[in-house]
Amino acid sequence: MMFKSHFGETVTVVLAILMGFIMAFAAVIAGHLAVNFSNVFKIWAMITLVILLASILMPYKDWSARLTGTVVHNKESILYKIVDNILPSLILNTCNTVVVSGANILYNEAIPAEAQMGAWMEGIIHDWPIMFVVSYFAAFLAEAAGIWVAEHNESR
């Protein structure tokens, strides 16, 4: 959960902002949308909000640490870091895919109301695997940036 420490909050906020941007840009490309400020900003805002809300409501990092600890015992190993990132990516990617697809389809007047649910499910099925790969790799960069920011602002 996000509010256990100031350090953790800082890491989570930076992670949400950076992952939100990377995933928004990837979502625009994967969705064949026009790459412009408006599209990227709208999706970036949604993804960032979803990551922050999921981080407040679910202790997915704790769950992942417990699960990974049963498989890999050395917390300093590369294998631990690779496996430890899977569950958070699954959770955050699923939440983001459902919300962003829903927001783009369910409130789209160009899609008839009776076709929106089917289009939403198709969007989730299409976007989920692509965005999982993006979120999995983006999480390493975003978490490292969050840790760097938290460590450099710890005493302030």
Side-chain angles (χ1 to χ4, degrees), residues 91-147:
I91 291 170
L92 293 176
N93 182 61
T94 301
C95 293
N96 275 313
T97 302
V98 168
V99 170
V100 174
S101 291
N104 286 327
I105 293 168
L106 300 177
Y107 297 100
N108 188 338
E109 294 175 3
I111 300 172
E114 58 275 356
Q116 287 181 351
M117 192 58 89
W120 186 28
M121 291 301 122
E122 287 174 21
I124 291 170
I125 291 167
H126 174 267
D127 294 346
W128 192 91
I130 296 166
M131 297 312 294
F132 174 74
V133 172
V134 172
S135 69
Y136 179 79
F137 289 109
F140 289 110
L141 173 68
E143 185 175 22
I147 290 169

Side-chain angles (χ1 to χ4, degrees), residues 40-54:
V40 173
F41 184 78
K42 176 182 76 168
I43 295 171
W44 177 36
M46 283 189 282
I47 291 172
T48 300
L49 178 62
V50 170
I51 291 172
L52 289 172
L53 290 174

Side-chain angles (χ1 to χ4, degrees), residues 2 6-22 44 48 51-52 55 60 138-153:
M2 183 174 158
H6 182 264
F7 186 90
E9 287 179 36
T10 303
V11 171
T12 302
V13 169
V14 172
L15 179 135
I17 292 168
L18 190 54
M19 273 191 70
F21 182 75
I22 293 167
W44 177 36
T48 300
I51 291 172
L52 289 172
S55 298
Y60 57 83
F140 289 110
L141 173 68
E143 185 175 22
I147 290 169
W148 185 87
V149 170
E151 287 175 348
H152 284 82
N153 292 292

